[in-house]
Each structure stands twice: as C-alpha cells, then as structure tokens.
Amino acid sequence: MIEVLATYPHRWAVPRPVWQQLFQNARDEIGILAYAGLFIAEDMDILRTLAERARSGARVQILLGDPDGRCVAARGSDEGVGESMAAKIRNALVHYRALRDADGVEIRLHDTVLYNSIYRADDDLLINPHAYGIAASHAPVLHVRRAEDGDLASTYLESFERVWSGASPMS
C-alpha cells in the first residue's frame, strides 16, 4: 500500500496541473483548510472547477482563518507579516464570494492554530505542513492517498473534521 504519492519541497513548487487535477477528479468531497489559501482563490480555473464539482454533487467545504481571530494575528506576527495575514484572508473571501451561494458549497471561518493546510479531493490530499516563522508557500507539501481507516491520510481527514465542526459558518 502506497500512501505518499509525491513530495514537494515547497507549496509554490507543486505544479499548477497537480492542483487543477486534484479538484477536477473529485466526485464526492472537496475540502480546503488554510488560513488564506489565496493562491487557490485567485485561480479562476480552480474556482470554476470547484463550482462545477459542486453542481455535479460533490460537497465543497472551504475553511479559512477568521481574519479577526487571535490565531490569525499570532500567525501574522510569527511570520513577520503582521496584519497582511488577515488582509490576505479578506482578499480570498472576496474571490470566494462567487461560490458562497452555490449549492453544495459551504464556507466557514476558524480560529485555530493550523499545524498544516489541507487540500482534499475524495481520498487524495495535498498536505502543507507549517513550519514556525515560515510562510506556508515555502513549506513542503505531501501528496497522500487514503488507503484505509487509521492510515496517514485518515489522520489529516480527522483533523479537518475537528476544525470544521468548531468553525463558524459565513453569515
């Protein structure tokens, strides 16, 4: 059983087609857990894919940091970018506005310490582990596939669900 399909030294090094294919291949579930994930929100092809997958019956869950939350403020301070972390989230929310009313798409805000960002399409995940003081775009990415309950991917899926259950729906 192979759980780790690929590794990338930095999130910015993941080829764009990998991101596009990840979401295009989803049939049942798409999940995005990040503070801002602005690079996804700014990609119109990916936004169209998310909307299309939702129209085809996939559940799309987008979890972003609460721009007014204490954890976002702390992360901005840790990375030395201050208020720009919250500004990036607000910018991403503007881009996601087109998806907010789409059936099958739900956006929530969380105020949790993120140890990693998670990008899910059914059983495939791109995991972006965070490193203290380093922007997520400069941290590595693991492409993993869920093989069975209790495997590597399942651990991250459980983490996603915990953050989702404690997050606040967008008003």
XYZ file of all heavy atoms in Angstrom, residues 7-105:
770
model
N 6.149 14.162 -3.034
C 6.535 15.208 -2.091
C 7.081 16.377 -2.895
O 7.641 16.201 -3.975
C 7.613 14.723 -1.100
O 8.778 14.332 -1.823
C 7.115 13.555 -0.268
N 6.887 17.560 -2.353
C 7.365 18.788 -2.977
C 8.078 19.600 -1.905
O 7.602 19.683 -0.770
C 6.201 19.591 -3.561
C 5.382 18.804 -4.556
C 4.258 18.081 -4.140
C 5.734 18.755 -5.901
C 3.515 17.336 -5.048
C 4.988 18.016 -6.810
C 3.888 17.308 -6.375
O 3.154 16.572 -7.276
N 9.212 20.226 -2.234
C 9.971 20.941 -1.205
C 9.275 22.208 -0.707
O 9.538 22.666 0.404
C 11.286 21.282 -1.907
C 10.952 21.301 -3.362
C 9.863 20.271 -3.537
N 8.375 22.757 -1.523
C 7.652 23.991 -1.188
C 6.279 23.930 -1.838
O 6.118 23.293 -2.885
C 8.372 25.235 -1.725
C 9.829 25.259 -1.421
N 10.314 25.555 -0.170
C 10.910 24.993 -2.193
C 11.632 25.483 -0.191
N 12.019 25.134 -1.405
N 5.298 24.618 -1.235
C 3.972 24.651 -1.857
C 4.037 25.298 -3.229
O 3.376 24.850 -4.163
C 2.974 25.390 -0.958
C 1.533 25.205 -1.448
C 0.552 26.042 -0.698
N 0.786 27.446 -1.014
C 0.471 28.452 -0.231
N -0.062 28.252 0.946
N 0.712 29.694 -0.610
N 4.870 26.330 -3.380
C 4.959 27.001 -4.674
C 5.558 26.095 -5.746
O 5.428 26.368 -6.938
C 5.727 28.325 -4.581
C 7.133 28.231 -4.059
C 7.554 28.514 -2.788
C 8.306 27.824 -4.766
N 8.898 28.308 -2.663
C 9.392 27.879 -3.874
C 8.552 27.411 -6.080
C 10.697 27.543 -4.242
C 9.853 27.072 -6.443
C 10.899 27.149 -5.528
N 6.195 24.992 -5.348
C 6.804 24.065 -6.303
C 5.821 22.994 -6.796
O 6.158 22.238 -7.708
C 8.022 23.395 -5.674
N 4.629 22.936 -6.215
C 3.625 21.985 -6.703
C 3.134 22.506 -8.054
O 2.620 23.622 -8.136
C 2.443 21.859 -5.720
C 1.377 20.908 -6.269
C 2.922 21.412 -4.346
N 3.286 21.721 -9.113
C 2.852 22.202 -10.429
C 1.356 22.526 -10.449
O 0.550 21.805 -9.844
C 3.169 21.033 -11.371
C 4.215 20.234 -10.657
C 3.904 20.395 -9.182
N 1.006 23.606 -11.107
C -0.393 24.019 -11.186
C -1.305 22.895 -11.664
O -2.402 22.714 -11.127
C -0.539 25.252 -12.077
C -1.949 25.789 -12.064
C -2.090 27.043 -12.918
N -3.464 27.460 -12.956
C -4.403 26.878 -13.706
N -4.106 25.851 -14.471
N -5.640 27.330 -13.675
N -0.889 22.086 -12.671
C -1.775 20.989 -13.093
C -2.087 19.982 -11.980
O -3.144 19.352 -12.006
C -0.996 20.321 -14.238
C -0.123 21.401 -14.786
C 0.262 22.232 -13.577
N -1.207 19.847 -11.002
C -1.481 18.946 -9.883
C -2.672 19.469 -9.081
O -3.585 18.710 -8.722
C -0.236 18.771 -8.985
C -0.571 18.026 -7.697
C 0.868 18.051 -9.750
N -2.677 20.771 -8.819
C -3.808 21.374 -8.093
C -5.098 21.228 -8.898
O -6.135 20.831 -8.356
C -3.550 22.863 -7.814
C -2.427 23.109 -6.872
C -1.163 23.533 -7.191
C -2.435 22.954 -5.452
N -0.401 23.644 -6.053
C -1.158 23.302 -4.975
C -3.408 22.557 -4.539
C -0.835 23.259 -3.621
C -3.081 22.523 -3.189
C -1.806 22.871 -2.748
N -5.036 21.557 -10.172
C -6.224 21.503 -11.022
C -6.766 20.079 -11.093
O -7.958 19.854 -10.932
C -5.884 22.025 -12.428
C -7.081 22.147 -13.341
C -8.064 23.218 -12.931
O -7.703 24.201 -12.304
N -9.319 23.026 -13.269
N -5.887 19.122 -11.308
C -6.309 17.729 -11.427
C -6.864 17.200 -10.107
O -7.824 16.428 -10.099
C -5.136 16.887 -11.902
C -5.539 15.545 -12.444
C -4.380 14.888 -13.167
O -3.259 14.885 -12.670
N -4.655 14.333 -14.324
N -6.259 17.618 -8.999
C -6.761 17.194 -7.696
C -8.248 17.490 -7.585
O -9.052 16.611 -7.293
C -5.987 17.898 -6.572
C -6.500 17.614 -5.154
C -6.030 16.250 -4.679
C -6.053 18.704 -4.201
N -8.623 18.750 -7.840
C -10.018 19.151 -7.668
C -10.909 18.628 -8.792
O -12.067 18.269 -8.556
C -10.109 20.665 -7.532
C -9.411 21.189 -6.303
C -8.412 22.142 -6.411
C -9.730 20.721 -5.043
C -7.756 22.628 -5.289
C -9.078 21.191 -3.907
C -8.091 22.148 -4.030
N -10.407 18.550 -10.008
C -11.202 18.032 -11.123
C -11.596 16.579 -10.908
O -12.670 16.163 -11.342
C -10.433 18.143 -12.444
C -10.429 19.515 -13.039
C -9.609 19.583 -14.318
O -8.796 18.718 -14.609
N -9.835 20.640 -15.078
N -10.740 15.805 -10.267
C -11.004 14.386 -10.081
C -11.959 14.083 -8.942
O -12.378 12.942 -8.776
C -9.689 13.625 -9.863
C -8.848 13.570 -11.120
O -9.341 13.774 -12.231
N -7.567 13.302 -10.966
N -12.310 15.071 -8.144
C -13.197 14.842 -7.002
C -14.602 14.491 -7.481
O -15.129 15.110 -8.397
C -13.249 16.079 -6.116
N -15.169 13.497 -6.856
C -16.548 13.103 -7.160
C -17.494 13.407 -5.997
O -18.626 13.780 -6.207
C -16.617 11.608 -7.490
C -15.830 11.237 -8.717
C -16.495 11.798 -9.989
N -15.607 11.651 -11.124
C -15.034 12.668 -11.766
N -15.241 13.908 -11.390
N -14.241 12.464 -12.791
N -17.009 13.203 -4.770
C -17.884 13.312 -3.605
C -17.558 14.475 -2.680
O -18.469 15.131 -2.182
C -17.833 12.012 -2.788
C -18.313 10.822 -3.596
O -19.359 10.935 -4.255
O -17.627 9.780 -3.573
N -16.259 14.704 -2.422
C -15.895 15.711 -1.428
C -14.658 16.494 -1.831
O -13.683 15.920 -2.313
C -15.605 15.050 -0.073
C -16.819 14.420 0.556
C -16.532 13.937 1.954
O -16.391 14.793 2.841
O -16.440 12.717 2.145
N -14.729 17.783 -1.593
C -13.571 18.674 -1.723
C -13.487 19.437 -0.416
O -14.498 19.915 0.099
C -13.734 19.656 -2.902
C -13.659 18.897 -4.232
C -12.677 20.761 -2.834
C -13.949 19.761 -5.448
N -12.287 19.528 0.123
C -12.082 20.286 1.351
C -10.834 21.131 1.239
O -9.806 20.667 0.736
N -10.940 22.363 1.687
C -9.801 23.276 1.724
C -9.728 23.824 3.141
O -10.690 24.419 3.628
C -9.957 24.426 0.706
C -9.973 23.869 -0.712
C -8.862 25.478 0.901
C -10.356 24.888 -1.777
N -8.605 23.595 3.803
C -8.364 24.122 5.146
C -7.062 24.902 5.104
O -5.999 24.339 4.843
C -8.248 22.983 6.169
C -7.728 23.352 7.564
C -8.627 24.378 8.239
C -7.583 22.104 8.427
N -7.156 26.194 5.320
C -5.985 27.068 5.289
C -6.303 28.300 6.115
O -7.421 28.469 6.600
C -5.671 27.461 3.841
N -5.308 29.146 6.278
C -5.616 30.463 6.826
C -6.196 31.325 5.723
O -7.272 31.877 5.864
C -4.384 31.123 7.441
C -4.127 30.686 8.870
C -2.867 30.280 9.261
C -5.135 30.695 9.821
C -2.619 29.883 10.561
C -4.896 30.291 11.118
C -3.646 29.889 11.494
O -3.403 29.490 12.786
N -5.504 31.447 4.605
C -5.995 32.267 3.497
C -6.173 31.450 2.220
O -7.181 31.578 1.541
C -5.049 33.439 3.239
N -5.201 30.629 1.866
C -5.284 29.873 0.615
C -5.509 30.783 -0.576
O -6.194 30.414 -1.523
N -4.927 31.968 -0.520
C -5.188 32.975 -1.545
C -4.811 32.496 -2.939
O -5.487 32.826 -3.913
C -4.447 34.276 -1.194
C -4.710 35.489 -2.076
C -6.197 35.833 -2.130
C -3.910 36.686 -1.558
N -3.770 31.684 -3.048
C -3.362 31.194 -4.362
C -4.460 30.363 -5.023
O -4.583 30.348 -6.242
C -2.046 30.406 -4.268
C -2.202 29.040 -3.645
C -2.184 27.907 -4.438
C -2.351 28.892 -2.276
C -2.318 26.643 -3.873
C -2.476 27.641 -1.705
C -2.474 26.517 -2.498
N -5.288 29.683 -4.241
C -6.429 28.932 -4.775
C -7.543 29.892 -5.157
O -8.118 29.807 -6.242
C -6.950 27.907 -3.730
C -5.902 26.839 -3.437
C -8.275 27.289 -4.170
C -5.703 25.809 -4.525
N -7.845 30.830 -4.271
C -8.944 31.772 -4.508
C -8.700 32.655 -5.724
O -9.648 33.076 -6.386
C -9.162 32.638 -3.269
N -7.441 32.932 -6.029
C -7.119 33.795 -7.173
C -7.087 33.044 -8.504
O -6.976 33.669 -9.549
C -5.753 34.462 -6.959
C -5.766 35.507 -5.881
C -4.403 36.131 -5.665
O -3.366 35.453 -5.827
O -4.381 37.334 -5.305
N -7.197 31.736 -8.462
C -7.118 30.923 -9.679
C -8.532 30.674 -10.211
O -9.257 29.822 -9.703
C -6.412 29.602 -9.359
C -6.101 28.789 -10.593
O -6.954 28.710 -11.510
O -4.998 28.196 -10.648
N -8.912 31.412 -11.244
C -10.270 31.315 -11.778
C -10.599 29.923 -12.303
O -11.736 29.475 -12.192
C -10.490 32.365 -12.871
C -10.607 33.781 -12.337
S -11.872 33.977 -11.041
C -13.350 33.545 -11.925
N -9.626 29.221 -12.871
C -9.891 27.858 -13.340
C -10.247 26.944 -12.174
O -11.164 26.121 -12.277
C -8.678 27.291 -14.088
C -8.578 27.801 -15.506
O -9.581 28.330 -16.035
O -7.488 27.669 -16.091
N -9.534 27.085 -11.081
C -9.842 26.252 -9.915
C -11.192 26.641 -9.332
O -11.989 25.766 -8.975
C -8.717 26.308 -8.864
C -7.481 25.570 -9.401
C -9.175 25.715 -7.530
C -6.288 25.571 -8.492
N -11.505 27.934 -9.259
C -12.826 28.340 -8.766
C -13.937 27.772 -9.644
O -14.961 27.303 -9.138
C -12.927 29.860 -8.683
C -12.093 30.537 -7.597
C -12.335 32.045 -7.615
C -12.383 29.958 -6.227
N -13.745 27.802 -10.961
C -14.740 27.206 -11.866
C -14.855 25.702 -11.622
O -15.961 25.144 -11.639
C -14.368 27.470 -13.323
C -14.762 28.853 -13.809
C -14.640 28.973 -15.327
N -13.258 29.096 -15.765
C -12.600 30.234 -15.872
N -13.196 31.372 -15.586
N -11.349 30.247 -16.285
N -13.734 25.052 -11.394
C -13.752 23.618 -11.109
C -14.502 23.330 -9.822
O -15.315 22.394 -9.768
C -12.309 23.067 -11.034
O -11.690 23.218 -12.312
C -12.292 21.603 -10.630
N -14.267 24.120 -8.784
C -14.982 23.920 -7.519
C -16.486 24.068 -7.720
O -17.277 23.253 -7.225
C -14.487 24.900 -6.458
C -13.028 24.760 -6.016
C -12.675 25.852 -5.009
C -12.735 23.387 -5.443
N -16.894 25.085 -8.467
C -18.323 25.301 -8.739
C -18.900 24.148 -9.559
O -20.006 23.658 -9.269
C -18.524 26.627 -9.468
N -18.159 23.696 -10.556
C -18.623 22.599 -11.408
C -18.745 21.304 -10.610
O -19.712 20.565 -10.750
C -17.662 22.416 -12.584
C -18.183 21.498 -13.675
C -17.962 20.007 -13.380
O -16.933 19.633 -12.791
O -18.850 19.222 -13.737
N -17.771 21.028 -9.771
C -17.821 19.817 -8.946
C -19.015 19.877 -7.996
O -19.696 18.881 -7.789
C -16.522 19.636 -8.146
C -15.272 19.388 -8.965
C -15.163 17.980 -9.571
N -16.011 17.841 -10.741
C -16.778 16.809 -11.076
N -16.849 15.759 -10.337
N -17.515 16.791 -12.147
N -19.290 21.062 -7.430
C -20.450 21.212 -6.546
C -21.747 20.980 -7.322
O -22.652 20.291 -6.837
C -20.443 22.588 -5.892
N -21.834 21.533 -8.537
C -23.033 21.315 -9.367
C -23.207 19.833 -9.710
O -24.326 19.368 -9.912
C -22.965 22.129 -10.657
C -23.293 23.602 -10.485
C -23.491 24.313 -11.809
N -22.307 24.260 -12.656
C -21.274 25.116 -12.591
N -21.307 26.101 -11.708
N -20.249 25.002 -13.395
N -22.103 19.100 -9.761
C -22.151 17.670 -10.078
C -22.402 16.806 -8.842
O -22.376 15.582 -8.931
C -20.847 17.236 -10.745
O -20.704 17.871 -11.989
N -22.584 17.436 -7.702
C -22.946 16.704 -6.499
C -21.871 16.559 -5.441
O -22.124 15.978 -4.384
N -20.681 17.069 -5.684
C -19.632 16.999 -4.669
C -19.911 18.026 -3.572
O -20.390 19.128 -3.841
C -18.261 17.254 -5.284
N -19.603 17.668 -2.362
C -19.690 18.593 -1.230
C -18.382 19.366 -1.180
O -17.302 18.757 -1.117
C -19.885 17.799 0.050
C -19.959 18.641 1.286
C -20.135 17.763 2.510
N -20.288 18.595 3.679
C -20.138 18.172 4.913
N -19.849 16.906 5.146
N -20.274 18.988 5.921
N -18.452 20.691 -1.214
C -17.265 21.542 -1.187
C -17.262 22.309 0.134
O -18.162 23.092 0.409
C -17.228 22.514 -2.386
C -16.017 23.429 -2.299
C -17.235 21.735 -3.704
N -16.225 22.053 0.936
C -16.075 22.700 2.236
C -14.802 23.548 2.200
O -13.712 23.023 1.956
C -15.937 21.662 3.346
C -17.131 20.745 3.477
C -16.833 19.613 4.438
O -16.016 18.757 4.140
N -17.499 19.617 5.582
N -14.966 24.835 2.447
C -13.829 25.746 2.461
C -13.726 26.340 3.864
O -14.671 26.948 4.354
C -13.990 26.860 1.401
C -14.105 26.230 0.005
C -12.827 27.849 1.482
C -14.508 27.203 -1.089
N -12.578 26.124 4.493
C -12.317 26.595 5.847
C -11.165 27.584 5.808
O -10.037 27.208 5.483
C -11.874 25.416 6.716
C -12.918 24.646 7.479
C -12.338 23.319 7.956
C -13.415 25.441 8.643
N -11.443 28.830 6.130
C -10.400 29.853 6.158
C -10.291 30.422 7.562
O -11.250 30.380 8.339
C -10.727 30.976 5.172
C -10.868 30.573 3.704
C -11.219 31.788 2.855
C -9.624 29.892 3.188
N -9.149 30.978 7.863
C -8.952 31.600 9.165
C -9.856 32.802 9.339
O -10.145 33.534 8.389
N -10.294 33.005 10.554
C -11.083 34.195 10.882
C -10.126 35.382 10.883
O -9.208 35.440 11.711
C -11.724 34.022 12.250
C -12.590 35.191 12.670
O -12.464 36.295 12.088
O -13.389 35.010 13.606
N -10.325 36.327 9.949
C -9.374 37.440 9.871
C -9.318 38.294 11.140
O -8.347 39.010 11.360
C -9.860 38.249 8.666
C -11.266 37.841 8.442
C -11.403 36.443 8.970
N -10.351 38.201 11.978
C -10.365 38.930 13.239
C -9.967 38.049 14.419
O -10.023 38.481 15.566
C -11.763 39.526 13.485
C -12.140 40.530 12.414
O -11.275 41.352 12.037
O -13.287 40.467 11.927
N -9.561 36.811 14.125
C -9.246 35.851 15.179
C -7.851 36.025 15.752
O -6.947 36.555 15.110
N -7.682 35.528 16.964
C -6.385 35.635 17.644
C -5.320 34.758 16.986
O -4.146 35.124 16.967
C -6.528 35.307 19.124
C -6.974 33.896 19.411
C -7.044 33.564 20.899
N -7.594 32.242 21.091
C -6.944 31.108 20.821
N -5.716 31.146 20.370
N -7.528 29.934 21.001
N -5.707 33.613 16.427
C -4.720 32.717 15.816
C -4.164 33.293 14.517
O -2.979 33.122 14.220
C -5.327 31.338 15.579
S -5.657 30.455 17.129
N -5.003 33.982 13.766
C -4.524 34.639 12.545
C -3.553 35.756 12.912
O -2.499 35.912 12.285
C -5.701 35.164 11.695
C -5.226 36.109 10.610
C -6.471 33.993 11.087
N -3.887 36.515 13.939
C -2.991 37.591 14.379
C -1.648 37.016 14.826
O -0.586 37.557 14.487
C -3.640 38.393 15.509
N -1.697 35.906 15.565
C -0.454 35.286 16.024
C 0.361 34.764 14.851
O 1.589 34.942 14.815
C -0.766 34.154 17.002
N -0.290 34.146 13.879
C 0.445 33.617 12.712
C 1.081 34.764 11.920
O 2.227 34.663 11.474
C -0.494 32.794 11.825
C 0.155 32.197 10.606
C 1.175 31.131 10.971
N 1.845 30.648 9.782
C 2.184 29.402 9.572
N 1.934 28.492 10.483
N 2.786 29.055 8.477
N 0.344 35.854 11.749
C 0.910 37.018 11.062
C 2.132 37.547 11.783
O 3.144 37.897 11.165
N 2.070 37.576 13.100
C 3.207 38.022 13.900
C 4.373 37.044 13.781
O 5.523 37.459 13.587
C 2.769 38.168 15.361
O 3.858 38.521 16.171
N 4.077 35.748 13.868
C 5.123 34.721 13.779
C 5.863 34.772 12.445
O 7.060 34.515 12.381
C 4.535 33.323 13.971
C 4.029 33.071 15.375
O 4.364 33.861 16.287
O 3.276 32.084 15.561
N 5.133 35.060 11.377
C 5.746 35.105 10.050
C 6.356 36.478 9.740
O 6.949 36.664 8.695
C 4.715 34.755 8.964
C 4.343 33.297 8.947
C 3.419 32.932 7.795
O 3.230 33.752 6.869
O 2.879 31.810 7.824
N 6.156 37.430 10.655
C 6.704 38.768 10.441
C 5.944 39.581 9.398
O 6.485 40.534 8.842
N 4.670 39.201 9.150
C 3.880 39.925 8.142
C 2.736 40.717 8.765
O 1.996 41.391 8.055
C 3.347 38.965 7.053
C 4.491 38.320 6.296
C 2.411 37.913 7.630
N 2.572 40.617 10.073
C 1.573 41.401 10.788
C 0.167 41.260 10.229
O -0.313 40.160 10.009
N -0.465 42.392 9.998
C -1.857 42.453 9.550
C -2.075 41.930 8.135
O -3.212 41.720 7.721
C -2.372 43.896 9.639
C -2.593 44.376 11.055
C -3.706 43.614 11.744
O -4.769 43.375 11.145
O -3.493 43.230 12.916
N -1.005 41.708 7.372
C -1.217 41.262 5.999
C -1.819 39.859 5.943
O -2.479 39.507 4.961
C 0.068 41.336 5.174
O 0.996 40.384 5.597
N -1.635 39.045 6.976
C -2.265 37.729 7.006
C -3.785 37.877 6.992
O -4.479 37.245 6.200
C -1.817 36.928 8.230
C -2.454 35.554 8.348
S -1.991 34.402 7.046
C -0.296 34.101 7.494
N -4.309 38.739 7.848
C -5.752 38.985 7.874
C -6.222 39.596 6.558
O -7.300 39.251 6.052
C -6.117 39.895 9.047
N -5.426 40.469 5.986
C -5.786 41.090 4.701
C -5.843 40.041 3.591
O -6.726 40.102 2.721
C -4.791 42.189 4.348
N -4.929 39.076 3.606
C -4.950 38.005 2.605
C -6.235 37.188 2.726
O -6.819 36.792 1.711
C -3.722 37.103 2.767
C -2.443 37.742 2.266
C -1.202 36.979 2.661
C -1.170 35.559 2.181
N 0.126 34.894 2.480
N -6.669 36.937 3.939
C -7.912 36.179 4.143
C -9.095 36.976 3.614
O -9.956 36.438 2.903
C -8.113 35.824 5.627
C -7.008 34.880 6.087
C -9.498 35.219 5.858
C -6.919 34.712 7.588
N -9.140 38.259 3.927
C -10.242 39.093 3.424
C -10.244 39.122 1.896
O -11.299 39.080 1.265
C -10.136 40.497 4.012
C -10.504 40.556 5.483
C -10.515 41.991 6.038
N -10.902 41.977 7.431
C -10.051 41.920 8.457
N -8.743 41.908 8.233
N -10.490 41.903 9.695
N -9.067 39.169 1.309
C -8.952 39.144 -0.147
C -9.481 37.814 -0.689
O -10.237 37.788 -1.667
C -7.496 39.367 -0.544
C -7.322 39.626 -2.009
O -8.271 39.724 -2.776
N -6.081 39.733 -2.424
N -9.091 36.702 -0.060
C -9.571 35.388 -0.502
C -11.093 35.311 -0.406
O -11.756 34.783 -1.310
C -8.923 34.286 0.337
N -11.660 35.845 0.665
C -13.117 35.824 0.824
C -13.818 36.585 -0.292
O -14.902 36.183 -0.735
C -13.502 36.374 2.196
C -13.157 35.465 3.373
C -13.323 36.206 4.695
C -14.006 34.195 3.339
N -13.220 37.669 -0.756
C -13.793 38.402 -1.895
C -13.827 37.495 -3.120
O -14.832 37.417 -3.827
C -12.997 39.700 -2.185
C -13.400 40.310 -3.517
C -13.197 40.700 -1.051
N -12.739 36.769 -3.370
C -12.686 35.866 -4.526
C -13.684 34.714 -4.391
O -14.273 34.291 -5.380
C -11.275 35.307 -4.712
C -10.289 36.326 -5.168
N -10.298 36.867 -6.428
C -9.250 36.907 -4.522
C -9.305 37.728 -6.551
N -8.663 37.783 -5.393
N -13.854 34.191 -3.181
C -14.771 33.078 -2.959
C -16.233 33.510 -2.965
O -17.123 32.661 -2.950
C -14.463 32.369 -1.640
C -13.278 31.436 -1.709
C -12.209 31.584 -0.837
C -13.235 30.394 -2.626
C -11.121 30.722 -0.889
C -12.156 29.531 -2.679
C -11.105 29.700 -1.813
O -10.039 28.848 -1.869
N -16.485 34.802 -3.005
C -17.863 35.312 -2.976
C -18.723 34.650 -4.054
O -19.892 34.356 -3.828
C -17.864 36.829 -3.155
C -19.202 37.449 -2.854
C -19.192 38.953 -3.008
N -18.094 39.560 -2.264
C -17.551 40.725 -2.563
N -17.997 41.441 -3.572
N -16.563 41.212 -1.839
N -18.136 34.387 -5.223
C -18.894 33.781 -6.319
C -19.389 32.376 -5.970
O -20.366 31.904 -6.554
C -18.021 33.726 -7.576
N -18.744 31.719 -5.029
C -19.137 30.363 -4.645
C -20.076 30.319 -3.447
O -20.678 29.285 -3.170
C -17.894 29.533 -4.298
C -16.880 29.287 -5.397
C -15.687 28.521 -4.832
C -17.500 28.520 -6.539
N -20.202 31.423 -2.743
C -20.930 31.417 -1.463
C -22.374 30.972 -1.582
O -22.909 30.344 -0.679
C -20.858 32.782 -0.788
C -19.516 33.004 -0.142
C -19.403 34.301 0.551
N -20.380 34.427 1.637
C -20.480 35.497 2.379
N -19.688 36.529 2.161
N -21.364 35.564 3.342
N -23.027 31.284 -2.704
C -24.435 30.923 -2.853
C -24.635 29.660 -3.678
O -25.771 29.267 -3.941
C -25.202 32.094 -3.485
C -25.218 33.316 -2.575
O -25.250 33.145 -1.346
O -25.192 34.443 -3.102
N -23.567 29.013 -4.078
C -23.676 27.798 -4.891
C -24.120 26.629 -4.017
O -23.617 26.439 -2.906
C -22.332 27.489 -5.551
N -25.066 25.862 -4.514
C -25.481 24.655 -3.812
C -24.291 23.718 -3.694
O -23.542 23.523 -4.648
C -26.612 23.946 -4.571
C -27.939 24.677 -4.457
O -28.106 25.479 -3.516
O -28.810 24.454 -5.325
N -24.123 23.143 -2.516
C -23.045 22.195 -2.299
C -21.752 22.815 -1.818
O -20.787 22.101 -1.554
N -21.713 24.160 -1.708
C -20.503 24.847 -1.246
C -20.804 25.504 0.096
O -21.791 26.219 0.236
C -20.025 25.927 -2.246
C -18.820 26.682 -1.685
C -19.705 25.312 -3.595
